[in-house]
Amino acid sequence: MSRIPRDKSLDSTIALMGDPYRFISNRCRRYRSDLFETRLLLRKTICMTGPEAARLFYDQSRFARHGAMPKAIQKTLLGVGGVQGLDEGAHRHRKQMFMSLMTPEGIEKLVRLTSAEWQIRVRKWASMNAVVLYPELHALLTRAACAWAGVPLADSEVEPRTRQVTALFDHAGSIGLRHLWSRRARKRADSWAADIVEQIRSGRLRAPEHSAAHVVAWHRDFSGALLTPQVAAVELINVIRPTVAVSVYMIFVAHALHTHPQVREKLQAGDEDYAECFVQEVRRYYPFFPAVAAQTRLAFEWNGYQFPAGRRILLDLYGTNQDPRTWERPEDFEPERFGRRDGSPFNFIPQGGGDHYFDHRCPGEWIAIELMKLTADFLTRRMSYEVPGQDLRIEWSRLPALPRSRFVLSNVRECQELHLQRTRWRRR
Ligand code: HEM
């Protein structure tokens, strides 16, 4: 039996916060192992990286999610009582509710709504000297996500709701005031969403039948009861918040187009297959979600290592997407690699691994991909712009990591002649 390598420091929380994306893979390289043990927030934690570790992590007979996420993340990013902390039958039943929203028609509708918002913004940006893209995308996506989810949003509400929803993912991983702001935003966003659920149930608000607000408000839990308004609110926000968070990937689409101009030419030609490979490479190459947490249900042995019961486990998402055993020259940005990928659900895991319906893998993966393709389409074919001098270096210690300048555009123009119809959404 081999001993799981132990990190030397008493607690590694500060080291993790300082380099959240490379903390696990750097140490695994140092220990020449796919796993090591450390303490995070004083709790013993086994950190793992790579496709074999990912396959193990998604074995539900060995790992559970309930109680695995630190409270600070529950009180901000995730909310309390949502699908992320459920296990077994209760999880599969709730997950089905999310998957029922991810139909080709549903996703196509969201892409249409987002495209209309992009068009409105491009016209506005054309009258501005400079545009900081990241905050602009927050408002654009909040409008599109709410319209899609059946959540009414008056013009006067757009700004405060955008700030609240954004704080849930943009400030959750911070400490100090930004973290407190995220906690306050969670309380406000939950009470806004709970009110919408109650309005739908009492007949004061009619949400379209297949919209997220309608589906969540009338969803019956495993036991047959309606969700409490508080839990329904968390699940409704579980649709709106991550849709707005696609703004992070959209910024990386812009960043990749700027730093790899040869890619832009290929996208301008309108090759749909290449566009798919491009956004997959953006999701592989750039950092977003560093890791996911679970805990062992029971003691077991794996590859000669003994795992104790009740141990917290962190799976390295970013490092697995960069693992040289799967990816040749992982440090190169090369969309073509996705034309020859094996398609394993455990070696490319920017939004989690395993199965969308049965595991905790992100149900919004197809949304993220389609909204990123839409972004690439706008930035290469439907508008022109310049990228003025700015600091585009990525802030690796931030969660989520972003270019320091948040991507500034100038001289924006709408391309009338390239208003081409997007081809229909197709699931791969
Ligand atoms: C912005 C891009 C996105 C990223 C980087 C992302 C990332 C992730 C990750 C890493 C997980 C956890 C996987 C695991 O625990 O194994 C997750 C779960 C989840 N995501 Fe996403 N996500 C994104 C977009 C979306 C969208 C657009 C939606 C919905 C509209 C969504 C809804 C959810 C939900 C509800 C879960 C919990 C699933 C479960 O526990 O079964 N996400 N996401």
Side-chain angles (χ1 to χ4, degrees):
M1 184 85 56
S2 319
R3 190 167 167 270
I4 297 178
R6 298 246 158 93
D7 201 43
K8 305 273 178 297
S9 55
L10 275 180
D11 188 285
S12 303
T13 311
I14 292 174
L16 173 69
M17 300 282 285
D19 194 5
Y21 294 98
R22 293 172 294 204
F23 169 82
I24 298 179
S25 56
N26 279 347
R27 278 167 179 70
C28 282
R29 248 192 307 279
R30 187 186 303 160
Y31 300 126
R32 296 173 192 277
S33 163
D34 275 355
L35 71 175
F36 67 92
E37 187 167 83
T38 187
R39 278 181 194 269
L40 293 172
L41 295 171
L42 303 176
R43 188 168 158 189
K44 279 188 182 170
T45 304
I46 295 173
C47 301
M48 315 195 295
T49 193
E52 263 197 81
R55 190 180 291 278
L56 170 70
F57 182 86
Y58 283 96
D59 176 348
Q60 295 182 30
S61 66
R62 289 170 163 175
F63 297 95
R65 298 302 181 100
H66 184 71
M69 268 294 168
K71 280 270 176 299
I73 300 291
Q74 285 181 39
K75 300 265 179 184
T76 52
L77 182 73
L78 301 182
V80 176
V83 63
Q84 289 92 343
L86 300 180
D87 289 303
E88 299 174 337
H91 171 256
R92 278 194 291 281
H93 183 77
R94 186 84 63 84
K95 189 65 175 284
Q96 183 52 43
M97 175 186 82
F98 285 95
M99 297 313 295
S100 75
L101 302 170
M102 305 301 163
T103 59
E105 302 72 35
I107 295 177
E108 208 169 297
K109 184 172 177 198
L110 176 61
V111 171
R112 256 199 326 275
L113 289 164
T114 312
S115 176
E117 291 294 335
W118 260 100
Q119 257 170 337
I120 294 169
R121 295 270 153 178
V122 171
R123 281 176 205 145
K124 180 187 127 192
W125 297 339
S127 67
M128 292 163 63
N129 286 337
V131 177
V132 185
L133 193 56
Y134 187 54
E136 288 287 324
L137 292 175
H138 294 154
L140 181 163
L141 287 167
T142 302
R143 274 186 185 275
C146 287
W148 183 64
V151 170
L153 191 68
D155 282 349
S156 59
E157 266 191 299
V158 173
E159 201 199 309
R161 293 299 176 207
T162 299
R163 270 193 281 118
Q164 265 159 30
V165 171
T166 305
L168 298 178
F169 66 87
D170 201 48
H171 300 349
S174 342
I175 43 175
L177 280 180
R178 266 166 38 106
H179 181 78
L180 291 179
W181 166 230
S182 185
R183 282 185 179 236
R184 198 171 70 151
R186 168 53 71 181
K187 283 193 187 134
R188 293 187 174 182
D190 281 357
S191 96
W192 166 48
D195 185 49
I196 287 161
V197 167
E198 284 178 317
Q199 286 188 48
I200 293 173
R201 287 180 181 169
S202 67
R204 283 176 290 140
L205 178 68
R206 284 179 63 84
E209 200 179 328
H210 299 293
S211 66
H214 183 276
V215 168
V216 169
W218 296 114
H219 176 76
R220 290 193 178 269
D221 219 343
F222 205 37
S223 62
L226 289 174
L227 301 176
T228 64
Q230 290 71 29
V231 170
V234 167
E235 300 300 31
L236 185 52
I237 296 294
N238 251 338
V239 171
I240 296 171
R241 180 206 75 241
T243 304
V244 179
V246 178
S247 53
V248 175
Y249 272 153
M250 290 172 157
I251 289 297
F252 287 135
V253 165
H255 193 278
L257 288 173
H258 181 65
T259 29
H260 306 281
Q262 71 286 5
V263 165
R264 169 180 288 279
E265 284 166 28
K266 293 192 184 158
L267 289 168
Q268 268 165 343
D271 179 342
E272 285 264 315
D273 289 336
Y274 186 77
E276 174 93 18
C277 292
F278 168 70
V279 301
Q280 297 294 45
E281 181 67 344
V282 171
R283 295 195 315 137
R284 185 198 71 80
Y285 181 85
Y286 285 96
F288 193 164
F289 235 85
V292 280
Q295 62 185 19
T296 52
R297 287 176 186 276
L298 64 173
F300 63 87
E301 191 198 314
W302 177 75
N303 281 0
Y305 294 112
Q306 187 62 39
F307 283 64
R311 182 70 84 244
R312 179 182 279 167
I313 309 290
L314 273 193
L315 173 69
D316 179 20
L317 301 182
Y318 176 73
T320 302
N321 298 335
Q322 304 280 325
D323 193 319
R325 291 169 294 186
T326 305
W327 310 99
E328 249 176 64
R329 296 184 308 282
E331 63 289 350
D332 290 356
F333 185 83
E334 194 200 317
E336 290 76 7
R337 66 172 89 238
F338 277 91
R340 47 177 198 271
R341 188 182 161 243
D342 70 6
S344 151
F346 300 109
N347 61 18
F348 175 51
I349 51 173
Q351 293 176 234
D355 183 86
H356 292 99
Y357 288 83
F358 297 104
D359 294 312
H360 283 268
R361 185 174 187 146
C362 175
E365 206 159 6
W366 301 312
I367 287 185
I369 291 170
E370 289 310 305
L371 294 185
M372 290 167 78
K373 283 200 226 163
L374 180 75
T375 305
D377 199 37
F378 265 92
L379 294 179
T380 58
R381 290 150 54 90
R382 298 170 70 171
M383 60 191 265
S384 65
Y385 58 92
E386 285 165 22
V387 180
Q390 59 192 285
D391 189 351
L392 282 171
R393 282 174 306 162
I394 292 169
E395 268 182 278
W396 285 93
S397 59
R398 188 183 193 279
L399 274 176
L402 282 168
R404 284 171 201 272
S405 61
R406 310 291 186 260
F407 213 92
V408 181
L409 309 176
S410 64
N411 217 359
V412 174
R413 296 283 173 268
E414 192 181 4
C415 295
Q416 299 289 355
E417 70 278 14
L418 284 175
H419 263 193
L420 304 171
Q421 273 290 306
R422 282 177 48 79
T423 42
R424 286 176 69 78
W425 184 82
R426 60 203 152 106
R427 184 176 293 177
R428 297 184 151 246

